[in-house]
Amino acid sequence: MIANLKLLLIAIELLFVTFSYAQKPVLVIHGGAGNISKSHIPDSLAVKYKAKLSEALRAGYAVLERGGTSLEAVRTAINIMENSPLFNAGKGAVFTNKGTNEMDASIMDGATLNAGAVAGVMHIKNPINAAIEVMLHSPHVLLSGEGAETFARAQGLEMVDASYFYTEKRYRQLKKAQERESETQGYISPWLNDFKFGTVGAVALDKQGNIVAGTSTGGMTNKRFGRIGDSPIIGAGTYANNNTCGVSATGHGEYFIRSVAAHDISALMEYKGLSLREAADEVINKKLKEMGGSGGVIGLDKNGNITMTFNTNGMFRGYIKQKGDPQVFIFK
Ligand code: ASP
């Protein structure tokens, strides 16, 4: 009898310890940064963006709440944004100069420092899922083009005809960019052509305390020559480390690659003891800005503190720390 009582007490204590030490889950997402002002986004459109961001946050958070992994939460949130024509990823991907849609994505697991990425893929419905497959089921980190697609097909991912990615809005953006280019008779940086983006990203912290970060994009309108941005580059567009933080970036990719932005934020925390917010501010508002780079990041640290830092006039973004309570924002 006494032994049973003791066992019961131990069980209650264990339950209490487990409960009190379980990490409170957090999810933070972005849907691109850039010249996003009220004149570009009428109220009716802002409502649509906010609804989609909230849907992605709710669905991703539901995964975390029921004890799912940060990897599954990131996949869930990103898939919802990839399947929406609102964002420059998956269904809403921008067009290249050739009139194709060539997408990049990456994922990193902060517990293992394992990572996966794909670049320049044209037939994978959800490129983030391919990045996850690369991480989990290949000895590699970054696969590109046809090879990446062959791998994705073999892993059983959903493949689509290239026409799936056609949206009239993005096609018009390409035509406009090309008109501008012919007026100036020169090759204009895709960034200058279309200073607003829609790359998507998510960073999650699960109940086990594990951080995962992911990013998915169509890149930049009118990009050429097989251009690859920062989104599939681990350390530039995406980074995660349970000891520091998880980060997903959006903006003028060339600058994020050159400044190794996502990893730099983690390194500033690790080596200099900065908080996530201080580190993100240093990289986005100082280093990147001085180089001439525009964009932003979302991130969270191991304690669930978040950042949504950008040096543009807007970033589609949001976070959720509590069931049913997504917080979403667009403008500064
Ligand atoms: N960073 C992406 C790229 O350069 C673009 C974006 O964030 O919208 O490809």
Side-chain angles (χ1 to χ4, degrees):
M1 176 71 181
I2 293 200
N4 277 350
L5 201 68
K6 262 191 176 164
L7 269 179
L8 188 71
L9 282 175
I10 290 172
I12 290 173
E13 200 176 311
L14 266 178
L15 209 70
F16 179 73
V17 168
T18 316
F19 189 70
S20 54
Y21 280 87
Q23 179 63 51
K24 268 195 80 187
V26 181
L27 175 65
V28 56
I29 63 174
H30 70 76
N35 190 15
I36 303 164
S37 64
K38 292 210 164 139
S39 60
H40 294 111
I41 312 281
D43 288 351
S44 56
L45 190 56
V47 166
K48 284 187 192 161
Y49 273 107
K50 285 187 171 174
K52 207 30 103 175
L53 291 168
S54 301
E55 182 189 335
L57 283 168
R58 278 205 186 91
Y61 199 75
V63 172
L64 296 171
E65 266 230 302
R66 58 172 184 260
T69 62
S70 39
L71 179 66
E72 276 317 309
V74 166
R75 182 211 298 269
T76 301
I78 290 187
N79 281 173
I80 286 173
M81 294 188 282
E82 283 179 332
N83 294 344
S84 161
L86 290 173
F87 303 98
N88 172 20
K91 177 64 189 162
V94 298
F95 283 89
T96 67
N97 178 266
K98 286 188 300 193
T100 53
N101 307 96
E102 301 178 12
M103 290 152 281
D104 307 328
S106 68
I107 190 99
M108 185 159 183
D109 181 341
T112 58
L113 303 187
N114 201 357
V118 292
V121 296
M122 298 166 70
H123 301 94
I124 302 171
K125 186 179 177 209
N126 294 103
I128 195 69
N129 295 358
I132 293 172
E133 289 302 314
V134 173
M135 175 170 85
L136 297 179
H137 302 121
S138 91
H140 307 297
V141 170
L142 172 58
L143 301 182
S144 70
E146 263 182 46
E149 296 195 350
T150 304
F151 173 76
R153 203 171 283 116
Q155 294 304 118
L157 291 190
E158 187 172 354
M159 307 299 286
V160 290
D161 189 81
S163 62
Y164 165 80
F165 297 104
Y166 178 90
T167 57
E168 208 183 318
K169 177 178 124 193
R170 296 299 186 198
Y171 197 69
R172 262 191 276 121
Q173 281 174 358
L174 171 67
K175 288 294 142 197
K176 220 169 115 193
Q178 289 178 334
E179 271 164 34
R180 271 194 61 187
E181 204 168 70
S182 67
E183 276 163 22
T184 55
Q185 295 186 343
Y187 175 52
I188 307 176
S189 157
W191 175 262
L192 295 175
N193 262 324
D194 177 23
F195 182 45
K196 51 188 182 311
F197 303 93
T199 290
V200 305
V203 187
L205 174 67
D206 60 27
K207 286 186 178 171
Q208 290 73 40
N210 291 323
I211 300 174
V212 166
T215 311
S216 180
T217 187
M220 296 220 238
T221 300
N222 203 26
K223 65 183 180 181
R224 303 185 190 195
F225 316 121
R227 181 262 186 194
I228 307 286
D230 60 312
S231 307
I233 309 295
I234 296 302
T238 303
Y239 193 73
N241 182 337
N242 274 5
N243 294 325
T244 53
C245 63
V247 170
S248 168
T250 171
H252 193 168
E254 279 69 10
Y255 289 86
F256 283 79
I257 296 175
R258 288 167 54 206
S259 64
V260 204
H263 180 264
D264 202 22
I265 293 173
S266 168
L268 282 169
M269 294 175 70
E270 188 172 357
Y271 303 140
K272 236 182 159 183
L274 297 195
S275 71
L276 171 65
R277 253 181 222 180
E278 289 165 345
D281 186 52
E282 174 78 24
V283 170
I284 299 300
N285 288 321
K286 294 201 187 112
K287 288 184 170 185
L288 205 72
K289 224 173 169 179
E290 276 162 26
M291 289 168 79
S294 315
V297 291
I298 49 141
L300 54 76
D301 68 16
K302 60 184 176 190
N303 299 316
N305 299 306
I306 62 152
T307 188
M308 304 190 290
T309 305
F310 51 101
N311 64 25
T312 52
N313 59 11
M315 178 163 84
F316 299 107
R317 63 199 186 278
Y319 68 89
I320 183 163
K321 292 184 167 194
Q322 218 163 258
K323 189 182 173 185
D325 190 27
Q327 303 290 319
V328 294
F329 313 88
I330 300 178
F331 311 109
K332 206 154 210 163

